[in-house]
Amino acid sequence: MGRCAEGSNLAILCIYLFDSMATTSPATLLSAAQLREGLESTRNVSLRNLVASMQSESVESADLSMAHMRTVECAILASALAKNASLRILHLQYCTISDAGLEALAAGLARNRGLELLDLQSNRITSKGCHALIDALESGRPAIRKVLLAGNKVSADK
């Protein structure tokens, strides 16, 4: 189902092709109240603007590269992604996303039906985060076809 291929130390590309699968998801998303509270308290203006756009219009591509994403911001984005079907491409390069952040993000990705390309290059993701992402995506029915992970510390082992 999924395959991690390592070309060199800095060039790791993970491509996952998914068929229709079960619709259960392992992680919990934020409630509407928690999402509002998180958006009000985050200092990440780029994230705040993207989530507002996703809720009010059809956004097909978004680039949050270099926007620091703590676990709480990843959870906010996950909740928005779970309800969005128009976003096709999401760039999250150099966002300092950790394994915990990716686990939070995976909850929304498992429920998302529109995203096709997720760019997570040059973050703080290890094999643990990669495996959490694979597990979450295999538990849902996402449209996602490519996950880019170059520049992270992902190896064939957990």
Side-chain angles (χ1 to χ4, degrees), residues 12-99:
I12 298 173
L13 171 67
C14 287
I15 300 174
Y16 305 99
L17 300 174
F18 295 95
D19 298 322
S20 296
M21 299 171 202
T23 58
T24 59
S25 180
T28 306
L29 296 169
L30 300 176
S31 68
Q34 290 170 320
L35 179 59
R36 275 191 306 277
E37 183 180 315
L39 283 171
E40 290 171 5
S41 65
T42 186
R43 288 177 276 162
N44 190 327
V45 177
S46 298
L47 175 64
R48 198 178 313 144
N49 291 340
L50 174 61
V51 172
S53 295
M54 287 170 64
Q55 292 173 342
S56 63
E57 58 190 72
S58 292
V59 177
E60 290 191 13
S61 180
D63 191 342
L64 290 178
S65 295
M66 300 180 77
H68 182 67
M69 300 279 289
R70 298 173 300 162
T71 303
V72 66
E73 279 90 10
C74 290
I76 291 167
L77 182 55
S79 293
L81 285 169
K83 298 172 186 156
N84 180 279
S86 65
L87 190 66
R88 301 282 179 246
I89 299 169
L90 179 58
H91 294 281
L92 297 172
Q93 297 176 351
Y94 299 99
C95 290
T96 64
I97 296 171
S98 65
D99 289 335

Side-chain angles (χ1 to χ4, degrees), residues 1-5 13-22 130-131 133-147:
M1 189 70 60
R3 182 180 89 222
C4 285
L13 171 67
C14 287
I15 300 174
Y16 305 99
L17 300 174
F18 295 95
D19 298 322
S20 296
M21 299 171 202
C130 186
H131 287 284
L133 177 62
I134 292 168
D135 291 345
L137 293 178
E138 286 180 341
S139 72
R141 292 179 41 226
I144 201 161
R145 294 286 184 249
K146 279 189 182 181
V147 179

